[in-house]
């Protein structure tokens, strides 16, 4: 990989070609199904990468925090915060709402009552629905509580109900496309029934769907008006195991220097641990994996190296298991390229990317 400068410490590498292909594929799917494409920017967290989406007609985005909304508001003027509203950040909410179209997510009467009293600028509100994930959101059958929230919203000139938002995060426990489709279709059935109950009173309401596995795999989006996947921009080993993507679609890899070798146990120590990869992991055939080593190529990286994987991480250390017959192929002072298990978390703990052309891209974390 002669195009890279010398790697001296753990460095997150980005294959722009793969990244753009992932964006194009999802944008094309949204267009095919007449869906609003509102990508979730929590994965890449970069203004520069965000600009790449504009070439595909994207003009609305989602984020996971108000601080992230503030960062992206420099270049985006329609932002959904797809996380339950934190009323303690009311000053930030009002500041953002004065400059952009701000869409908040709510799921309780306490938050909307507080917003009603303290908003100084108008916001749009999504009500979050739980379709089986069990993390956040209202039980769709509890329409009494949904009506209580809507009553408060409708009674305020500063709030407007725009629709229902949900995230079928339990697709992340899947290990097959059939499993993803089953969860997705259950969510569609639930949300369709709910949507039909409220369409007469709110004819313009929309339904926003958020999980990458459903958006990647399914071709059925009945009752859905908007998709807001995030991880798809890079994908990762976890999404591959779920069935969302091919290995070749993964657009980021970590370059980690080799600092020690232990032939007696056929293990290599790298400079690259939990503060670089996070500690997300997958299990394959009973083996715990924190990342997979890939071949270096002249243009970036290639195939996964068989039976060569990141088996353990601590704060700075990573322990890579290699086949004994390959052990002498690696030298101290060289570096390994490793596909991350969860690209969202890996990006969050790193401070910038390096593209295959050697160009550095700043991220949210570098501010």
């Amino acid at each position: 990989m002669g195009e890279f400068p010398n790697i001296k410490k753990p460095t997150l590498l980005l294959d722009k070609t793969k990244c753009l292909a992932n964006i194009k594929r999802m944008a094309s799917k949204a267009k095919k199904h007449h869906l609003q494409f509102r990508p979730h920017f929590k994965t890449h967290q970069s203004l520069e990468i965000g600009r790449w989406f504009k070439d595909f007609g994207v003009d609305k985005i989602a984020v996971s925090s108000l601080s992230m909304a503030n960062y992206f508001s420099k270049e985006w003027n329609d932002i959904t915060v797809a996380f339950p509203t934190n009323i303690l950040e009311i000053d930030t909410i009002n500041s953002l709402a004065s400059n952009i179209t701000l869409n908040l997510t709510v799921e309780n009467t306490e938050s909307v009552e507080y917003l009603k009293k303290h908003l100084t600028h108008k916001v749009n509100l999504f009500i979050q629905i739980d379709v089986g994930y069990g993390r956040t959101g209202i039980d769709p059958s509890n329409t009494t509580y949904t009506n209580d929230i809507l009553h408060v919203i409708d009674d305020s000139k500063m709030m407007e109900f725009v629709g229902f938002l949900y995230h079928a995060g339990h697709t992340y426990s899947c290990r097959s496309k059939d499993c993803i489709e089953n969860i997705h279709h259950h969510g569609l059935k639930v949300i369709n029934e709910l949507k039909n109950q409220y369409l007469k009173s709110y004819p313009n309401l929309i339904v926003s769907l958020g999980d990458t596995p459903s958006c990647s795999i399914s071709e059925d989006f009945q009752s859905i008006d908007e998709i807001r996947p995030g991880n798809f921009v890079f994908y990762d080993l976890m999404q591959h195991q779920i069935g969302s993507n091919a290995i070749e679609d993964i657009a980021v890899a970590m370059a980690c220097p080799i600092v020690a070798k232990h032939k007696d146990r056929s293990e290599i120590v790298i400079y690259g641990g939990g503060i670089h990869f996070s500690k997300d992991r997958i299990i394959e055939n009973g083996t715990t994996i924190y990342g997979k080593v890939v071949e270096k190529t002249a243009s970036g990286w290639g195939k996964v190296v068989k039976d060569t994987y990141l088996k353990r991480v601590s704060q700075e250390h990573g322990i890579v298991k290699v086949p004994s017959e390959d052990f002498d192929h690696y030298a101290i002072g060289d570096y390994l390229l490793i596909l991350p298990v969860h690209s969202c978390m890996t990006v969050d703990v790193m401070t910038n990317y390096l593209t295959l052309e050697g160009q550095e891209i700043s991220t949210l974390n570098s501010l």
Side-chain angles (χ1 to χ4, degrees), residues 126-198:
F126 281 100
I127 294 178
Q128 182 146 7
I129 301 299
D130 179 11
V131 297
Y133 186 25
R135 183 176 67 178
T136 54
I138 300 171
D139 185 328
S141 66
N142 192 357
T143 53
T144 299
Y145 194 50
T146 298
N147 290 336
D148 289 342
I149 294 174
L150 285 170
H151 177 74
V152 180
I153 295 172
D154 292 343
D155 195 43
S156 170
K157 294 180 180 180
M158 293 296 180
M159 296 185 289
E160 181 174 352
F161 171 63
V162 292
F164 297 111
L165 176 149
Y166 75 101
H167 177 73
H170 40 324
T171 55
Y172 283 68
S173 65
C174 289
R175 295 297 178 265
S176 70
K177 294 181 180 180
D178 286 344
C179 175
I180 295 170
E181 289 281 22
N182 288 338
I183 289 176
H184 175 62
H185 284 108
H186 171 74
L188 290 182
K189 180 176 183 296
V190 168
I191 208 69
N192 182 57
E193 292 174 357
L194 186 67
K195 184 178 183 180
N196 287 336
Q197 291 182 62
Y198 288 94

Side-chain angles (χ1 to χ4, degrees), residues 65-262:
S65 69
L66 286 163
S67 60
M68 202 179 294
N70 192 52
Y71 170 72
F72 282 109
S73 68
K74 299 178 183 71
E75 298 185 8
W76 299 84
N77 59 19
D78 191 326
I79 301 177
T80 295
V81 182
F83 184 86
T85 297
N86 176 20
I87 60 174
L88 299 179
E89 294 181 278
I90 187 62
D91 290 342
T92 302
I93 290 171
N94 281 323
S95 176
L96 281 166
S98 70
N99 293 307
I100 66 169
T101 298
L102 181 63
N103 314 297
L104 300 178
T105 304
V106 296
E107 60 170 89
N108 53 69
T109 54
E110 292 90 341
S111 292
V112 289
E113 289 281 9
Y114 186 91
L115 291 173
K116 180 181 176 181
K117 294 177 182 177
H118 295 89
L119 282 172
T120 57
H121 294 82
K122 188 174 180 180
V123 299
N124 296 325
L125 295 185
F126 281 100
I127 294 178
Q128 182 146 7
I129 301 299
D130 179 11
V131 297
Y133 186 25
R135 183 176 67 178
T136 54
I138 300 171
D139 185 328
S141 66
N142 192 357
T143 53
T144 299
Y145 194 50
T146 298
N147 290 336
D148 289 342
I149 294 174
L150 285 170
H151 177 74
V152 180
I153 295 172
D154 292 343
D155 195 43
S156 170
K157 294 180 180 180
M158 293 296 180
M159 296 185 289
E160 181 174 352
F161 171 63
V162 292
F164 297 111
L165 176 149
Y166 75 101
H167 177 73
H170 40 324
T171 55
Y172 283 68
S173 65
C174 289
R175 295 297 178 265
S176 70
K177 294 181 180 180
D178 286 344
C179 175
I180 295 170
E181 289 281 22
N182 288 338
I183 289 176
H184 175 62
H185 284 108
H186 171 74
L188 290 182
K189 180 176 183 296
V190 168
I191 208 69
N192 182 57
E193 292 174 357
L194 186 67
K195 184 178 183 180
N196 287 336
Q197 291 182 62
Y198 288 94
L199 265 178
K200 185 176 181 180
S201 299
Y202 304 94
N204 296 319
L205 78 83
I206 69 170
V207 170
S208 178
L209 163 69
D211 64 296
T212 283
S214 293
C215 294
S216 297
I217 296 305
S218 187
E219 294 293 339
D220 181 3
F221 295 93
Q222 182 183 4
S223 298
I224 304 300
D225 304 288
E226 174 183 275
I227 57 171
R228 43 174 225 290
N231 180 277
F232 78 96
V233 68
F234 295 153
Y235 285 121
D236 51 37
L237 292 176
M238 184 181 294
Q239 289 292 339
H240 174 65
Q241 187 180 59
I242 291 169
S244 300
N245 63 279
I247 280 286
E248 294 76 21
D249 297 329
I250 299 176
V252 288
M254 286 285 291
C256 297
I258 296 173
V259 296
K261 297 172 62 179
H262 294 272

Side-chain angles (χ1 to χ4, degrees), residues 261-276:
K261 297 172 62 179
H262 294 272
K263 192 167 187 175
D264 58 326
R265 57 179 191 259
S266 199
E267 291 178 353
I268 290 172
V269 182
I270 59 169
Y271 180 11
I275 64 171
H276 308 104

Side-chain angles (χ1 to χ4, degrees), residues 241-311:
Q241 187 180 59
I242 291 169
S244 300
N245 63 279
I247 280 286
E248 294 76 21
D249 297 329
I250 299 176
V252 288
M254 286 285 291
C256 297
I258 296 173
V259 296
K261 297 172 62 179
H262 294 272
K263 192 167 187 175
D264 58 326
R265 57 179 191 259
S266 199
E267 291 178 353
I268 290 172
V269 182
I270 59 169
Y271 180 11
I275 64 171
H276 308 104
F277 286 94
S278 85
K279 289 194 174 182
D280 278 12
R281 59 196 182 276
I282 57 174
I283 307 295
E284 288 188 355
N285 300 317
T287 300
T288 300
I289 295 172
Y290 292 87
K292 290 187 177 181
V293 176
V294 286
E295 299 173 345
K296 297 177 185 177
T297 67
S299 59
W301 58 87
K303 296 179 180 179
V304 171
V305 180
K306 186 178 179 182
D307 300 326
T308 307
Y309 58 92
L310 186 58
K311 64 172 289 187

